[in-house]
Amino acid sequence: FSMRKKIDEELWEELEEVLICSDMGVHTSNMIIEDLKKKARELKIKEPEQLVEHLKERIKECFSNRELGLFTAENKPTIYLMVGVNGSGKTTTIGKLARRLKNSGNKVIIAAGDTFRAAAIEQLDVWAQRVGVEIIKNKQGSDPASVCFDAIQASKARGADYLIIDTAGRLQTKYNLMNELKKIGKIISREVSDAPHETLLVLDATTGQNSLSQAKLFNDTVSLTGIVLTKLDGTAKGGMIVAIENELGVPVKLVGVGETMEDLQDFDPQAFTDALFS
Amino acid sequence: SLGEKLQGIFKNLKRKGKLKEQDVDSVLREVRLALLEADVNLKVVKDFTKQVKEKAVGQEIWNSLTPAQLIIKIVKDQLTELMGSANSKLTFAPQPPTILMLIGLQGSGKTTTVAKLSNYLKKQGRNPLMVAADVYRPAAIHQLQVLGEQLKIPVFSMGDKQDPVNVCSGAVKKAVGLGCDVIIIDSAGRLHIDEDLMEELKNIKLKVRPHEILLVVDSMIGQESVNVAKTFEDQVGIDGVILTKMDGDARGGAALSVKAVTGKPIKFVGIGEKTDALEPFYPERIASRILG
Ligand SMILES: Nc1nc2c(ncn2[C@@H]2O[C@H](COP(=O)(O)OP(=O)(O)OP(=O)(O)O)[C@@H](O)[C@H]2O)c(=O)[nH]1
Ligand SMILES: Nc1nc2c(ncn2[C@@H]2O[C@H](COP(=O)(O)OP(=O)(O)OP(=O)(O)O)[C@@H](O)[C@H]2O)c(=O)[nH]1
Ligand SMILES: [Mg+2]
Ligand SMILES: [Mg+2]
C-alpha cells in the first residue's frame, strides 16, 4: 500500500479484498471498509499509509472489551470443556494446555471424553504421558457423559486444580451429536456449580465462512466462553474470528501455532491484525 | 437464495426499460457475493464472473423474457462445466500392486478416507493393503490398525521410528507377498509451507512411484484452498482430489477453487465418519450446493 500515491476507489477495493482473502467474509469486510470510509471523510485522511493504520485500529477495536485469559474458579477443580468439529485440533490443544497449566505448578487431570473415534483415547493417552499428567478414560464406545462424571469425581478426590475434558469431533448440524454435547454440559454443571468454567470452541484457522455457523450452533448448545484458533502457523489468517466476535461476542483466547506441546499462545490482537496485512 | 435475489434485481431493472451494461454488473455482483459466501476463492470468483458476463452478453439476456432464470442457468452450466465431468475413476497399474497415496493438511480426513477408499475397493473385489506412513501423530498408526480390524483389511506398519519412505517401500514388498493388488498409503498431515515435510512426500513419490496421488481437502476450507492445492500440485503433483465432511453445511466452494487452480478432478466425496461414507463426485450436485 505504500506504493500507492492517493486514496481512490481502486485502493478501497484493494483493502476490502485483503480482508475478504483473510476469510473475514464479504459482509464483515464491507462493514469495516464502510466505517473506514466515514472516518477517512471526517478526518480528511489523504495518505494511503494513514488509511491502513486506521484500518488496523478499526479491526483491533473488534477485540476490545474482552475477557483475556482463561477463568480460574475459586474452588477446585476448574473445569475446561473442549468442543468443535472433526479434526479442528481439540485433542492436541488439550495436550498443550495441560502442559502450560502443569508448568505453572498446577495439578492437571485430562479426561478422554471422545469414546467414539478410532484410537481417540490412545491419542490423548500419549499426550498424558508426554506432559506427565493423569488421564481418566473408559472403554471405547462407553457413554462420554459417564467418563466426564468419573473424571470430575477423580479430580475432586485427588485435589486436581484443573480438569480438561476432550470431546469427540462433531459437525454442528448433527442434531443427535449436539444433543449428546448438551447432555455432557448438563452433567458437568450438575456435579460442579458454575462448571464448565470455560467451554472453548476449537476452530481451525483454515475454515472459511462455515466457522460462523459452527460458532452459532455450538454456542446455542453449550454457551461458549471462548475460542482456540488452531493451525495459525499455516497461511490462513483466521479473519472469520472478527465476524464471530462481532456477531456473537465469543472472544478468541488462545491460538495454536504448531503440533508440539509448546505451540500454544495467548491471542494477541496486535499480532493478529498485523498478520492480516503481511 | 441466489435465484430469489436475481429475480428481485431483474424485476426492478425491467421497470427501467432496456437493460444496459451496468445492469449486468449489478447482477454479477450478486453472483460474486453468492460465490464468496460459499468460500470460492476471490481470484477464481473474478475469473468466473468474467466468463459468465461474456456468456450473458453473448446471449443477450436483455431480450429474454426470463432473464433471472437465464442467468442462473448460465451460472449453473458454467459451474458444472468447470468442475469437470463426473470422473471417479482411479488409475490402476497394468501390473499389481497399484499404489495410491493420500496427502493433505492436518485434520483434513486422510486416515479415515484411506479406510473408506480401501473398503470401497474391497467391495469392488480388490485386495487392498493400508499403509501406516504417519509416524508423527500420536496413535496415528493405532488409528489405522483399529480401522483395519473393523474392515478386515490388513494394515502395514513399521512402527513410528522408521522413515516413512522406508515404510512405503516395505509396504510394496509386503503387498506382493500378501497378494494384495492395491496399496493405499496414509501420510501425515502437513502444512504446504513445511519444506521438510513436502520434501518427504517428494522422496516417497520418487521411491515408490504411486499411480495415483490424491489430495484430501476439508470441504469447509476458506480462501486458502487455492494456495494449498496449488502448492501441493506444484511441489508433489496430484492426480485427483477427495473432498471430506460434505455431510456438514459448508457450501464447499473449495471444490470450484481447487479444480480451477489445479485442473485435477474431484474423484470422491466424504459424507460421514463411518467407513462406508464415501461417494463418487457428482458435479451438478456440488454446483447447486455452492450456489445455495
Ligand atoms: N500445524 C498445526 N497443526 C495442528 C495444530 N493443532 C492441531 N494440529 C494438528 O491437527 C490434526 C488434528 O488434531 P487433533 O487434535 O486430532 O484434532 P481433533 O479436533 O481432536 O480431531 P477429532 O477428535 O478427530 O475431531 C493433528 O495432525 C494435529 O497435530 C496447530 O496449531 N498447528
Ligand atoms: N463428519 C465427517 N467427519 C469426517 C469425514 N472424514 C473424516 N472425518 C472426521 O474428521 C476427523 C479427522 O479425520 P482423520 O482421518 O483423523 O484426519 P487426518 O487427515 O488423517 O488427520 P491428520 O493425520 O492429523 O492430518 C475425524 O474425527 C474423522 O472421523 C467426513 O467425511 N465427515
Ligand atoms: Mg480428538
Ligand atoms: Mg491421519
Side-chain angles (χ1 to χ4, degrees):
Chain A
F1 302 112
S2 50
M3 305 295 286
R4 298 199 148 266
K5 298 269 169 37
K6 63 182 168 74
I7 297 176
D8 56 10
E9 198 48 47
E10 243 186 83
L11 178 60
W12 287 117
E13 272 189 33
E14 202 175 317
L15 289 176
E16 185 171 14
E17 292 191 351
V18 168
L19 302 186
I20 291 176
C21 291
S22 78
D23 283 318
M24 207 176 279
V26 183
H27 173 76
T28 305
S29 305
N30 212 287
M31 177 191 74
I32 292 201
I33 294 296
E34 286 308 310
D35 282 359
L36 191 62
K37 279 182 177 171
K38 260 201 218 100
K39 190 149 214 149
R41 278 197 297 273
E42 287 172 12
L43 302 183
K44 301 205 171 33
I45 300 178
K46 295 274 175 275
E47 295 301 319
E49 284 119 9
Q50 275 194 321
L51 204 60
V52 177
E53 279 318 303
H54 280 278
L55 177 54
K56 287 188 180 180
E57 285 309 308
R58 173 66 188 83
I59 292 171
K60 278 201 294 173
E61 266 172 41
C62 298
F63 304 120
S64 44
N65 315 324
R66 56 213 306 281
E67 260 310 306
L68 287 175
L70 295 183
F71 180 78
T72 297
E74 267 194 55
N75 302 318
K76 50 192 191 187
T78 293
I79 302 180
Y80 296 153
L81 180 66
M82 314 298 281
V83 305
V85 303
N86 308 69
S88 59
K90 299 175 290 300
T91 306
T92 309
T93 301
I94 291 177
K96 298 173 183 178
L97 195 48
R99 149 94 169 175
R100 168 192 276 219
L101 293 170
K102 177 164 189 265
N103 271 9
S104 10
N106 296 294
K107 177 167 170 61
V108 183
I109 292 185
I110 62 185
D114 180 356
T115 56
F116 169 73
R117 204 208 69 210
I121 298 171
E122 287 72 11
Q123 182 186 4
L124 191 65
D125 212 336
V126 172
W127 282 110
Q129 307 317 315
R130 282 185 184 178
V131 175
V133 297
E134 210 178 317
I135 178 171
I136 302 296
K137 52 186 175 171
N138 270 345
K139 291 170 125 283
Q140 172 91 10
S142 57
D143 178 9
S146 71
V147 179
C148 293
F149 179 83
D150 293 346
I152 292 174
Q153 307 320 316
S155 302
K156 285 178 178 170
R158 295 167 215 192
D161 297 298
Y162 292 90
L163 168 62
I164 314 174
I165 302 176
D166 195 9
T167 61
R170 66 202 72 220
L171 297 184
Q172 69 278 19
T173 46
K174 307 240 161 155
Y175 188 68
N176 56 330
L177 296 182
M178 294 307 272
N179 271 345
E180 173 188 87
L181 192 58
K182 204 181 208 93
K183 176 167 158 229
I184 291 172
K186 288 216 171 86
I187 300 270
I188 296 172
S189 54
R190 187 193 66 196
E191 294 303 310
V192 176
S193 60
D194 302 341
H197 304 97
E198 290 277 356
T199 301
L200 301 174
L201 176 69
V202 179
L203 179 63
D204 187 330
T206 66
T207 312
Q209 298 311 297
N210 194 255
S211 45
L212 197 53
S213 157
Q214 289 178 25
K216 274 207 188 90
L217 295 181
F218 272 94
N219 197 30
D220 290 345
T221 305
V222 282
S223 233
L224 302 173
T225 59
I227 290 177
V228 181
L229 188 63
T230 60
K231 310 179 198 173
L232 216 49
D233 46 317
T235 54
K237 312 273 181 162
M240 68 297 194
I241 59 159
V242 175
I244 293 175
E245 185 122 11
N246 238 347
E247 299 188 28
L248 301 175
V250 183
V252 177
K253 299 201 169 188
L254 299 166
V255 300
V257 292
E259 303 191 67
T260 78
M261 62 173 81
E262 330 253 290
D263 296 320
L264 186 70
Q265 296 172 0
D266 290 333
F267 176 66
D268 177 349
Q270 182 69 50
F272 174 83
T273 305
D274 289 338
L276 291 179
F277 296 93
S278 64
Chain B
S1 74
L2 179 63
E4 292 165 351
K5 287 208 192 122
L6 293 187
Q7 301 268 17
I9 290 183
F10 277 109
K11 219 152 139 232
N12 289 330
L13 291 180
K14 289 223 131 167
R15 265 188 230 124
K16 298 185 356 195
K18 197 160 193 306
L19 289 182
K20 307 191 224 66
E21 167 134 9
Q22 60 252 41
D23 299 326
V24 179
D25 287 342
S26 74
V27 168
L28 291 179
R29 254 198 303 284
E30 283 306 321
V31 174
R32 167 186 151 122
L33 181 61
L35 294 178
L36 285 176
E37 286 178 338
D39 286 323
V40 181
N41 175 272
L42 180 62
K43 172 138 191 346
V44 174
V45 170
K46 286 183 176 181
D47 294 341
F48 182 83
T49 43
K50 202 150 152 263
Q51 293 168 342
V52 168
K53 179 170 184 172
E54 290 169 2
K55 284 227 166 76
V57 167
Q59 293 194 28
E60 301 210 338
I61 54 164
W62 30 73
N63 288 328
S64 163
L65 286 173
T66 56
Q69 272 90 309
L70 185 54
I71 289 279
I72 291 278
K73 177 156 190 339
I74 292 173
V75 171
K76 244 185 134 219
D77 289 351
Q78 186 70 11
L79 258 181
T80 308
E81 180 187 331
L82 272 181
M83 302 251 252
S85 53
N87 166 22
S88 306
K89 291 239 190 90
L90 292 170
T91 309
F92 287 98
Q95 280 281 65
T98 293
I99 304 173
L100 312 177
M101 178 162 77
L102 269 58
I103 66 180
L105 295 177
Q106 291 89 345
S108 55
K110 297 173 294 299
T111 306
T112 311
T113 305
V114 166
K116 291 178 183 180
L117 201 50
S118 306
N119 192 19
Y120 175 85
L121 292 168
K122 182 172 180 189
K123 290 202 191 125
Q124 285 188 339
R126 299 185 189 272
N127 194 2
L129 173 68
M130 304 198 286
V131 183
D134 178 355
V135 303
Y136 309 106
R137 168 172 152 155
I141 296 173
H142 194 151
Q143 184 182 3
L144 198 61
Q145 288 170 332
V146 170
L147 293 167
E149 274 168 42
Q150 287 175 9
L151 295 172
K152 305 273 178 289
I153 293 177
V155 175
F156 180 82
S157 164
M158 278 179 156
D160 63 3
K161 303 284 182 286
Q162 273 289 353
D163 183 326
V165 180
N166 294 338
V167 175
C168 292
S169 56
V172 179
K173 295 200 186 75
K174 184 72 177 182
V176 176
L178 284 178
C180 290
D181 57 357
V182 59
I183 297 175
I184 303 103
I185 301 172
D186 181 23
S187 70
R190 67 204 64 216
L191 295 178
H192 49 303
I193 53 172
D194 186 324
E195 295 188 358
D196 293 336
L197 286 183
M198 292 305 276
E199 190 67 19
E200 176 184 282
L201 284 185
K202 292 181 205 170
N203 291 337
I204 296 177
K205 181 177 181 179
L206 267 171
K207 186 82 190 205
V208 295
R209 305 251 160 240
H211 301 90
E212 188 110 15
I213 298 180
L214 299 167
L215 180 66
V216 177
V217 178
D218 191 327
S219 60
M220 60 182 97
I221 190 171
Q223 291 292 311
E224 281 303 292
S225 58
V226 159
N227 188 5
V228 172
K230 181 135 178 52
T231 307
F232 273 99
E233 160 67 353
D234 290 347
Q235 301 231 354
V236 186
I238 63 178
D239 300 292
V241 175
I242 300 182
L243 214 55
T244 61
K245 308 177 201 171
M246 284 291 270
D247 45 318
D249 65 349
R251 296 265 289 277
L256 178 60
S257 307
V258 170
K259 177 78 184 19
V261 76
T262 64
K264 299 296 159 73
I266 298 176
K267 302 210 170 187
F268 295 98
V269 168
I271 53 163
E273 295 196 67
K274 304 227 170 78
T275 47
D276 55 4
L278 190 73
E279 253 182 16
F281 173 69
Y282 299 114
E284 334 76 41
R285 278 196 208 167
I286 304 288
S288 305
R289 178 174 176 142
I290 290 178
L291 287 182

